[in-house]
Amino acid sequence: MAERKRRKLKLLAETINLDEKKATEEEESLKLQTWADLPVELLELILCRLTLEDNVRASAVCRRWHKVAVAVRVVNQSPWLMYFPKYGSLYEFYDPAERKTYSLELPELQGSRACYTKDGWLLLYRPRNHGVFFFNPFNRHMIKLPRFELTYQMVAFSDAPTSDLCVVFTIKHISPTIVAISTCRPGDSEWTTVNHQNRLPFVSSIWNKMVFCSGMFYCLSLTGWLGVYDPLLRAWSVLHVPPPRCPENFFAKNWWKGKFMAEHDGDILVIYTCNTETPIIFKLDHSEMVWEEMQTLNGVTLFASFLSSHSRTELPGAMRNVVYFSKVRFFGKRCISYSVDDRRYYPRKECHDWGEQDPFENIWIEPPRDASLN
């Protein structure tokens, strides 16, 4: 009897010791947990708010942090949407990454309208006196060009006007088979205009669909034909590339206004939209000379506006594989965008009839990395 009691007491003591050991191990395990053990979701929320310099430092903590830090790292800055006022000289800039709006007095721009943007520079036109000039709103520098009447031309430029490579290019159809191409460089005393014959029809529009890519200007006609101009050889041609194929319901009211064109890393991209329909994104296959429909943007972000569109990589995770349009809803708090991954607009059902919008109302512009308009 006594022996049995001793065995029970011994077993009870062993059980208590085992429980205490487990508790101690769990306590020690909790003590050993570090910041490196944070859940991935929480880690992403923290690291995506760091500056680039702090993000790089955080990525050196451990392999796990390195993977998350690289995934949310922001190397590029997104373009800002610049608004042209109907009256006065107060211009607004909307930052889609921060969802903030800045204001800037720019009396130098009164009476002008935007034509194109690149590398932080605006190309502008004053209809009253046919003045054409470059302007950088972030440093207030202005570079004037010879006077030129810009009526229904498509307009673009190749490089920043401070570069020796800068060429301003305009094109206007005279007939479906003849276009007038005018070019000018900063420092020139006049524009050079030459008429070119087309083998295929090309009808231009002020709703710019033009990019400079790999030394060439690419222009999309009203009906989807692709023209190419070589500024070095001064050669023009319309490529034998059938226009992008779209569903019949895309050809509705104002269908030509819902098209946008961008360039990314040597690729020519075209975005077709139509009211509530899902946007279709095409990429030009240079080898086969056909337009291919894209199912993913592979991490690229597109910023589409009538007069010029831009592409970016290395933006915050939520901004990747997204097309941002030049329309802001909810009192300036959110851009209309389309997620290629989710296959839906944000905010939901906030697609836009581009026929309602003035093409000169706003334009995407690339701010300098240290831009601050506060």
Side-chain angles (χ1 to χ4, degrees):
M1 190 76 169
E3 182 65 26
R4 184 182 299 174
K5 188 174 181 180
R6 280 196 298 273
R7 284 200 301 270
K8 285 184 177 180
L9 289 172
K10 183 179 178 181
L11 183 60
L12 180 61
E14 288 176 351
T15 302
I16 292 172
N17 289 336
L18 183 61
D19 290 343
E20 288 178 348
K21 184 178 179 181
K22 285 183 177 179
T24 302
E25 288 176 351
E26 289 176 0
E27 186 177 345
E28 290 296 324
S29 176
L30 289 173
K31 287 181 179 179
L32 290 174
Q33 282 187 349
T34 65
W35 285 93
D37 300 309
L38 283 174
V40 172
E41 294 80 6
L42 185 57
L43 200 55
E44 287 178 345
L45 286 174
I46 296 171
L47 296 184
C48 74
R49 286 167 169 76
L50 299 182
T51 63
L52 176 60
E53 185 178 1
D54 289 337
N55 179 288
V56 172
R57 287 172 179 164
S59 68
V61 171
C62 62
R63 289 183 179 180
R64 188 164 173 269
W65 275 41
H66 180 272
K67 183 178 180 180
V68 176
V70 170
V72 300
R73 182 172 297 166
V74 180
V75 176
N76 277 333
Q77 186 170 1
S78 73
W80 291 359
L81 193 58
M82 180 179 179
Y83 282 88
F84 283 70
K86 291 184 178 180
Y87 309 100
S89 58
L90 186 64
Y91 292 76
E92 291 188 339
F93 297 80
Y94 174 76
D95 179 355
E98 298 293 332
R99 296 186 185 179
K100 292 182 179 179
T101 300
Y102 308 95
S103 299
L104 194 62
E105 284 281 351
L106 298 171
E108 303 96 323
L109 304 188
Q110 276 193 296
S112 67
R113 72 186 191 203
C115 298
Y116 199 76
T117 64
K118 190 169 186 175
D119 297 335
W121 286 86
L122 291 158
L123 179 64
L124 300 119
Y125 175 64
R126 281 198 174 97
R128 189 171 58 181
N129 61 6
H130 306 317
V132 184
F133 63 101
F134 288 102
F135 185 79
N136 188 319
F138 304 104
N139 60 24
R140 313 290 279 260
H141 290 173
M142 180 184 292
I143 298 175
K144 293 184 178 181
L145 295 173
R147 295 182 189 277
F148 188 73
E149 185 176 358
L150 290 174
T151 50
Y152 299 101
Q153 291 95 325
M154 301 169 71
V155 187
F157 59 94
S158 61
D159 300 270
T162 51
S163 167
D164 294 336
L165 302 175
C166 179
V167 179
V168 182
F169 167 79
T170 81
I171 180 171
K172 178 176 70 172
H173 74 274
I174 296 174
S175 72
T177 57
I178 299 176
V179 296
I181 291 177
S182 302
T183 57
C184 186
R185 297 176 182 270
D188 286 354
S189 58
E190 62 181 10
W191 290 72
T192 301
T193 300
V194 178
N195 290 351
H196 294 263
Q197 192 90 24
N198 309 321
R199 289 188 175 181
L200 294 170
F202 189 93
V203 179
S204 59
S205 165
I206 60 169
W207 306 75
N208 268 11
K209 310 292 181 292
M210 192 184 310
V211 295
F212 183 75
C213 177
S214 303
M216 306 283 192
F217 287 100
Y218 288 83
C219 324
L220 198 69
S221 78
L222 204 60
T223 52
W225 290 97
L226 190 64
V228 182
Y229 180 74
D230 185 334
L232 292 179
L233 301 178
R234 296 185 178 181
W236 162 260
S237 64
V238 178
L239 301 182
H240 289 268
V241 180
R245 296 184 63 182
C246 295
E248 289 184 4
N249 53 2
F250 265 57
F251 299 97
K253 181 182 177 182
N254 299 317
W255 60 269
W256 65 89
K257 297 179 181 179
K259 296 190 294 186
F260 307 91
M261 192 176 187
E263 179 271 340
H264 176 71
D265 198 23
D267 287 327
I268 309 297
L269 308 178
V270 172
I271 308 159
Y272 275 38
T273 69
C274 184
N275 291 339
T276 59
E277 299 298 326
T278 299
I280 304 176
I281 304 171
F282 298 95
K283 181 176 74 172
L284 179 64
D285 184 332
H286 289 274
S287 59
E288 299 294 330
M289 297 303 283
V290 295
W291 291 102
E292 292 182 340
E293 185 175 343
M294 300 180 69
Q295 302 302 324
T296 177
L297 289 176
N298 297 313
V300 175
T301 306
L302 299 178
F303 297 86
S305 65
F306 293 120
L307 302 178
S308 65
S309 300
H310 304 265
S311 65
R312 282 291 181 277
T313 56
E314 305 299 335
L315 292 180
M319 295 184 73
R320 299 175 188 179
N321 296 316
V322 173
V323 181
Y324 284 84
F325 295 100
S326 56
K327 191 68 178 179
V328 179
R329 296 293 202 197
F330 301 110
F331 307 100
K333 294 298 183 184
R334 189 158 189 178
C335 240
I336 291 180
S337 63
Y338 179 79
S339 169
V340 177
D341 291 340
D342 300 340
R343 301 191 68 78
R344 55 157 284 195
Y345 278 97
Y346 287 89
R348 190 179 292 276
K349 297 182 180 179
E350 281 292 338
C351 51
H352 187 59
D353 180 3
W354 298 109
E356 300 174 354
Q357 188 167 334
D358 180 355
F360 304 110
E361 176 184 330
N362 55 38
I363 193 170
W364 290 106
I365 186 169
E366 301 155 303
R369 192 172 294 277
D370 58 348
S372 178
L373 302 182
N374 291 327

